[in-house]
Amino acid sequence: MTHTLTVLVENTPGVLARVAGLFSRRGFNIDSLAVGRSEDPGVSRMTIVVEGDDQILEQVTKQLHKLVDVIKITDVSRDDFVDRELVMIKVKTETSTRAEIMQLVDIFRARIVDVGPKTLTIEVTGYESKINAFEKSLRPFGIMEMVRTGKVAMLRGFKSTTIDESQKKEDVY
Amino acid sequence: MEITVAEALVRCLEQENVELVFGYPGGAILPVYDALCNSVIKHVLVRHEQGAAHAADGYARMTGRVGVCLATSGPGATNLVTGIANAYMDSVPMVLITGQVSASQIGTDAFQEVDITGITIPVTKHNYLVKDPNQLPQIIRKAFHIASTGRPGPVLIDLPKDVAQAKIKFTYPKNIHLPGYRPTYKGHRAMVSQAGKIIMESNRPVIYAGGGVRIADAAPELRELAETISAPVTNTLMGLGCFPGEHPLFLGMLGLHGTRYANLAVTECDCLIAVGARFDDRVVARIDGFAPGAKIIHIDIDPAEISKNMRADLPIVGDVKRVLEALLPLLKKKKNTEWMARVQAWKKEYPLNYRIDGTLKPQLIIEKIYELTGGDVVVVTDVGQHQMWAAQYYKYKEPRSFITSGGLGTMGFGLPAAIGAQMGAPGQKIILITGDGSIQMTLQELGTAMEQKLPLKIFVMNNRQLGMVRQLQEFYCDKRYIAVNFQYDLDFAALGRVYGMAGYTIETPEQLAEMLPEILAANRPVMVNCLINGEENVLPMVLAGANIGEAID
């Protein structure tokens, strides 16, 4: 069973090493990890896809929570959510195949981002199975290289995974 | 007025009421030591940074306050690592400050540069590399807060030399912002009341109490719980002292070297109340054989401990003291007469024992120390057979009367920890029980102990070998002994005298009876070379793969 976690972390140096290190040393597997800025400049947002049963997920979540830099964790896959990946594929072309490839680009609603004398570089976003299908259909033409981001995900509708008001206040101890 | 970051650091430590720090100077930490010249904070110079970390650890365990360490960059910092890991495993509050090469040199493999924040991520509760001089006061404030609250643990602060020399306007922050750090103290009400119900419905309850009881200062509540519901209490190694050792409900330690009756009670109970304990593999042995018929109530401040090793039927996350305070009013007096009779019968049938054969037995030494001190001393141990005997044969009265390395099992912990404990409680009689293997790992700290004029009583259980490993080889390697015998017979009494201590050698039970009163009454540091029987094993013992109820003895 895969789970997609949205993890809000303080934007501090080393936070990625802390999170990634936690997964490896506790023996949890990361399927994919994407990290970038969120709507709040002090907060980065990670989307982590993990494989495991409920018990493993419970441990992953609890161990992540123990990291001081981790502010909030949401398992968006327990709810209605959308997820996307972006991929760039550099594919070999010949005059005879160019048209066919461009047709595939159309069908998959991909975009050509670079044209070379013997190559096309194509960008496509979408959910995982679409990207897999696109990659498969281009394979016969010869994929020179491919780069794929980790998944990013978001809850559907009015629900969000932002920080609670209570967590924004300064604490007095 | 502007002051340097190093001066600000010292001011911060003063604000945190730090009275002493353990450390070892060096190049990158030079500015901090320079600033320390003008402070009321006492600096204890150790002989190796590992000693500083263990001493700060022992100090923290003794006093309940945050232990503080200073070390330089590179080897100074890496030498702390074992001590940090040790504190992390046993949830000891510590703040460690390491010097670092100048910020501009970081990443260049500069002289004595090491990425200590990277190295210590897995063994610290949190750590910081100070890059912005103005952040230092905030960071120190956060470090002390994180180290000492929730489930305590070590926090490391790495301070580059040029940052330490930079000038800032100093104010110590009142407020700090840690959005990702909110320990839960109060137990969930519905969970607590359900726990009350389960406990009242149980007929064969057992309380399994760990180090969390000591940390939360919950010994009185624990005792009230046990007496109210007539539940026998077993302690983990870390929990010893949280329940009076002479109390009729006390079962001693459980686990791989626990008492038979504690392990049997856990095996047969119908309700196991785990209080501030973490179902460590040395306690549980085979998971499916641990309290198989019991409803498990697990009270712990760290949510990640719940259902990590064993599924809890009823989890309560919170401060052990506050949870017990909430739970107690829900309970009524109960007797469990039949169960108590069974437990008492096990105690009679399977007492801890050892063969008396005229040789000097380590168990006897511990028993005699207990007899003569009445349990009014603090016992510090190292790691190995002597540690288990000290856990089994001494009856601890008070929560902070037993200091030992549990989770990490660090040989070499004892001597520096005893130094730290003694520095934290100057009037307290401290007895270090160690082995000839363990003490030789941090022997250099005898210099520190003498310099600080600490009247430590050190008992070296000298069997001329690594007894615990020998025991493992006896059971698991068909007695193929390798690398466990010390061929050179070191005279620890003479060694003690070299350092200016009184040195004694005890070889027979008669000598023990004769010399022990004098040794314990001495006002000066004493090193006792106890030439114990080398064949002795720690028993009972649960063999690998067995249930805890199936110990051999």
Side-chain angles (χ1 to χ4, degrees):
Chain A
M1 177 79 180
T2 56
H3 294 266
T4 306
L5 304 179
T6 286
V7 183
L8 299 176
V9 298
E10 285 201 73
N11 190 7
T12 53
V15 65
L16 181 61
R18 286 178 206 280
V19 171
L22 182 127
F23 275 82
S24 70
R25 75 172 174 273
R26 298 253 174 208
F28 307 135
N29 286 323
I30 303 184
D31 266 14
S32 112
L33 186 150
V35 58
R37 275 181 304 185
S38 70
E39 69 284 354
D40 180 340
V43 175
S44 294
R45 181 167 169 142
M46 295 185 179
T47 308
I48 306 174
V49 182
V50 286
E51 182 87 35
D53 56 21
D54 280 357
Q55 208 200 325
I56 290 178
L57 188 82
E58 183 184 329
Q59 263 300 305
V60 168
T61 311
K62 285 170 166 179
Q63 294 295 346
L64 276 173
H65 259 305
K66 281 179 77 167
L67 299 179
V68 172
D69 287 335
V70 170
I71 305 168
K72 187 171 177 174
I73 304 162
T74 316
D75 181 359
V76 294
S77 48
R78 287 194 188 282
D79 224 319
D80 255 359
F81 75 110
V82 274
D83 63 7
R84 287 293 179 268
E85 282 177 58
L86 183 144
V87 65
M88 288 203 282
I89 300 174
K90 189 178 285 180
V91 65
K92 287 184 192 151
T93 60
E94 283 152 32
T95 20
S96 58
T97 57
R98 198 169 274 251
E100 198 180 336
I101 292 169
M102 286 169 71
Q103 238 172 10
L104 284 168
V105 167
D106 265 355
I107 294 168
F108 281 93
R109 279 186 239 154
R111 288 198 320 149
I112 295 167
V113 290
D114 183 63
V115 181
K118 285 182 178 165
T119 61
L120 281 175
T121 303
I122 304 160
E123 166 208 304
V124 63
T125 62
Y127 47 90
E128 196 180 352
S129 56
K130 171 185 163 180
I131 289 177
N132 291 346
F134 185 56
E135 182 201 334
K136 207 173 149 193
S137 60
L138 287 183
R139 218 164 255 294
F141 302 102
I143 292 176
M144 284 175 67
E145 59 176 331
M146 181 171 96
V147 56
R148 199 165 168 164
T149 65
K151 257 181 208 162
V152 292
M154 201 173 257
L155 289 172
R156 284 183 190 275
F158 195 69
K159 282 185 188 164
S160 70
T161 54
T162 50
I163 299 170
D164 306 331
E165 279 308 309
S166 70
Q167 283 181 295
K168 285 187 182 161
K169 277 188 252 125
E170 275 219 335
D171 308 312
V172 185
Y173 299 102
Chain B
M1 202 190 74
E2 292 204 325
I3 57 173
T4 67
V5 166
E7 285 162 347
L9 167 65
V10 172
R11 295 267 283 275
C12 292
L13 296 180
E14 288 165 358
Q15 291 283 322
E16 291 292 341
N17 297 317
V18 173
E19 49 175 19
L20 54 95
V21 298
F22 300 89
Y24 204 100
I29 194 80
L30 216 53
V32 175
Y33 272 85
D34 197 20
L36 213 50
C37 289
N38 303 318
S39 174
V40 292
I41 296 171
K42 180 183 164 74
H43 179 268
V44 179
L45 177 64
V46 294
R47 298 297 183 266
H48 183 290
E49 289 87 351
Q50 185 186 350
H54 290 325
D57 181 326
Y59 170 87
R61 291 186 208 227
M62 185 73 241
T63 60
R65 307 178 57 186
V66 178
V68 182
C69 262
L70 286 180
T72 195
S73 63
T78 53
N79 279 345
L80 291 175
V81 173
T82 301
I84 299 173
N86 187 73
Y88 184 68
M89 291 288 266
D90 289 346
S91 311
V92 179
M94 275 172 35
V95 168
L96 306 110
I97 297 152
T98 48
Q100 180 57 280
V101 300
S102 288
S104 56
Q105 286 184 309
I106 288 179
T108 65
D109 300 320
F111 177 65
Q112 293 195 329
E113 180 191 355
V114 75
D115 171 18
I116 197 63
T117 45
I119 288 171
T120 57
I121 283 176
V123 292
T124 48
K125 191 170 169 187
H126 196 50
N127 63 25
Y128 293 96
L129 169 62
V130 187
K131 284 183 167 163
D132 174 0
N134 291 304
Q135 286 293 312
L136 180 101
Q138 280 276 351
I139 288 174
I140 302 284
R141 180 91 166 80
K142 286 179 181 172
F144 274 86
H145 178 69
I146 292 169
S148 60
T149 55
R151 179 179 180 176
V155 178
L156 180 136
I157 300 161
D158 200 22
L159 182 62
K161 193 175 182 182
D162 53 350
V163 175
Q165 288 164 326
K167 292 212 161 183
I168 59 168
K169 249 205 167 95
F170 177 73
T171 49
Y172 200 56
K174 273 209 164 57
N175 301 347
I176 46 171
H177 185 47
L178 287 166
Y181 181 71
R182 310 270 160 131
T184 307
Y185 293 104
K186 204 169 153 243
H188 193 284
R189 224 155 128 204
M191 292 298 202
V192 174
S193 69
Q194 220 185 321
K197 235 178 104 198
I198 294 173
I199 292 169
M200 289 317 291
E201 282 166 4
S202 70
N203 297 311
R204 304 187 305 278
V206 166
I207 298 169
Y208 148 52
V213 176
R214 167 174 50 93
I215 295 167
D217 200 13
E221 289 77 13
L222 178 72
R223 184 173 179 165
E224 198 184 332
L225 171 69
E227 289 173 350
T228 307
I229 61 166
S230 301
V233 177
T234 177
N235 273 146
T236 66
L237 183 69
M238 300 314 297
L240 287 170
C242 295
F243 196 77
E246 297 274 18
H247 197 288
L249 286 171
F250 190 56
L251 298 176
M253 184 174 71
L254 82 166
L256 261 56
H257 292 302
T259 62
R260 287 289 302 274
Y261 40 95
N263 288 345
L264 286 168
V266 168
T267 307
E268 297 293 322
C269 72
D270 68 350
C271 172
L272 184 75
I273 310 167
V275 190
R278 61 184 181 91
F279 296 87
D280 175 77
D281 54 284
R282 288 298 191 268
V283 161
V284 171
R286 257 183 85 111
I287 288 177
D288 52 11
F290 189 78
K295 281 232 155 91
I296 295 177
I297 299 170
H298 192 179
I299 307 169
D300 204 288
I301 197 158
D302 182 357
E305 286 305 341
I306 285 167
S307 299
K308 183 181 79 179
N309 295 345
M310 271 199 80
R311 201 109 199 84
D313 296 291
L314 191 92
I316 304 176
V317 177
D319 176 73
V320 163
K321 191 182 183 78
R322 291 185 61 176
V323 172
L324 292 183
E325 278 170 355
L327 179 62
L328 285 168
L330 309 178
L331 304 173
K332 292 193 198 72
K333 199 107 187 129
K334 60 194 242 130
K335 293 242 183 284
N336 310 318
T337 323
E338 216 175 289
W339 175 234
M340 292 313 293
R342 271 179 83 187
V343 171
Q344 294 307 331
W346 282 325
K347 277 174 107 165
K348 280 215 182 70
E349 199 175 337
Y350 306 109
L352 279 173
N353 65 29
Y354 56 93
R355 211 157 47 88
I356 296 167
D357 56 11
T359 63
L360 183 63
K361 297 282 182 159
Q363 300 94 328
L364 178 74
I365 300 173
I366 312 257
E367 280 184 332
K368 287 285 172 211
I369 293 175
Y370 176 67
E371 262 177 49
L372 286 172
T373 59
D376 287 327
V377 296
V378 169
V379 173
V380 182
T381 80
D382 253 301
V383 170
Q385 288 184 314
H386 70 271
Q387 178 190 30
M388 292 297 107
W389 290 316
Q392 293 172 329
Y393 289 91
Y394 194 95
K395 296 186 179 66
Y396 299 94
K397 279 207 280 204
E398 302 283 335
R400 294 184 186 275
S401 59
F402 183 51
I403 293 176
T404 196
S405 163
L408 196 67
T410 313
M411 289 174 69
F413 169 79
L415 176 57
I419 291 170
Q422 184 76 85
M423 307 254 359
Q428 181 68 56
K429 188 160 276 185
I430 307 261
I431 291 183
L432 170 62
I433 294 171
T434 178
D436 54 324
S438 283
I439 197 170
Q440 290 191 72
M441 284 207 173
T442 48
L443 195 57
Q444 74 284 350
E445 300 306 333
L446 284 176
T448 311
M450 294 309 290
E451 195 166 275
Q452 300 298 332
K453 303 186 171 57
L454 307 179
L456 299 177
K457 310 284 174 283
I458 303 176
F459 291 82
V460 182
M461 302 291 169
N462 184 1
N463 52 10
R464 283 78 59 197
Q465 55 177 294
L466 303 174
M468 188 59 105
V469 183
R470 198 225 71 235
Q471 179 171 346
L472 294 175
Q473 289 177 352
E474 179 180 334
F475 281 92
Y476 297 121
C477 306
D478 279 333
K479 302 193 180 180
R480 288 184 302 277
Y481 298 126
I482 178 168
V484 289
N485 282 308
F486 289 130
Q487 306 288 339
Y488 181 77
D489 198 357
L490 179 58
D491 181 349
F492 286 93
L495 178 79
R497 286 192 285 271
V498 167
Y499 274 97
M501 310 171 80
Y504 291 83
T505 298
I506 299 180
E507 277 180 274
T508 64
E510 293 72 32
Q511 287 173 341
L512 177 71
E514 192 193 308
M515 291 187 217
L516 199 54
E518 181 187 322
I519 292 168
L520 292 171
N523 239 339
R524 52 187 293 210
V526 182
M527 175 78 86
V528 191
N529 187 18
C530 304
L531 297 168
I532 60 166
N533 185 325
E535 300 298 298
E536 212 54 36
N537 280 333
V538 178
L539 295 169
M541 178 181 187
V542 177
L543 293 173
N547 298 330
I548 59 162
E550 303 167 342
I552 55 164
D553 55 12

